[in-house]
Amino acid sequence: MALNPPPLQPSVGQALRSHPDELHCGDQLGWWTRPDRLRLALADGLGHGHEAEVAASAAIAQVAAMPDHHLEEIFLACDQALRDTRGAALAIVDIHPQLDRLRHAAVGNIRSVIAHSGLIRRLSSARGIVGAGYRDLRAESFTITAGDWLTLFTDGIQESAEVLSGLDDATVSDRLAEQLIEHWADGHDDTGILIYRHA
Ligand SMILES: [Mn+2]
């Protein structure tokens, strides 16, 4: 009998909350698994409301359509796909659980934070707007170890927010992501968050 690799059982939590005056949510997210990889993406369409949602949704749809492409190629495709929209900030992370590594790239104002061995690391983002051009995009790789946390969140939460503090051995779930929005969102914009814990 052939031995199959154990299925990837990602521990990911997600939550979105619209601007208090809007039905539409200008933040959108997605995550996708491959046998050896987990990909997370979070997009923040400029402003809020319907047009922001159109831009963010177009970014996530483009990421979803390119499951086997590298991050840099996906950003180029997203920049084209969003030309007729308001544009968006976008972060994408590829997690390789068996390699204990992740690869991250972002354009604009998405916050990506790793808690690695208890130390907080805020990842950098290229200047620009997906859909209106960006420059100096660099995908960066990081080592992760069991118990490390990763979160991506939009500017509905302050950049300085210590989102990963006090999580300790919390169980990752959508409920946890919703609780983090409840605790940290400032209520002046849409808010989106993804959270992952490395097993
Ligand atoms: Mn925003």
Side-chain angles (χ1 to χ4, degrees), residues 85-172:
T85 73
R86 286 186 174 178
L90 175 66
I92 311 175
V93 181
D94 281 349
I95 298 163
H96 302 274
Q98 290 94 336
L99 301 177
D100 293 322
R101 288 192 75 70
L102 65 79
R103 194 160 172 81
H104 169 268
V107 171
N109 205 9
I110 305 272
R111 297 79 151 86
S112 305
V113 182
I114 300 172
H116 173 56
S117 301
L119 295 174
I120 297 295
R121 179 163 207 167
R122 293 172 191 275
L123 311 189
S124 62
S125 175
R127 292 162 94 83
I129 298 168
V130 176
Y134 55 82
R135 58 181 186 180
D136 303 330
L137 178 72
R138 282 199 313 139
E140 290 185 284
S141 293
F142 300 90
T143 299
I144 47 176
T145 54
D148 286 357
W149 292 88
L150 163 74
T151 185
L152 308 180
F153 55 95
T154 65
D155 62 357
I157 294 174
Q158 294 281 317
E159 187 163 19
S160 59
E162 294 177 6
V163 170
L164 296 176
S165 69
L167 290 184
D168 298 324
D169 284 319
T171 302
V172 176

Side-chain angles (χ1 to χ4, degrees), residues 23-24 39 49 75 98 170:
L23 294 174
H24 296 277
R39 175 170 284 164
F75 274 89
Q98 290 94 336

Side-chain angles (χ1 to χ4, degrees), residues 27 44-45 47 154-156 189-190:
D27 293 351
D44 178 353
T154 65
D155 62 357
D189 197 356
D190 308 306

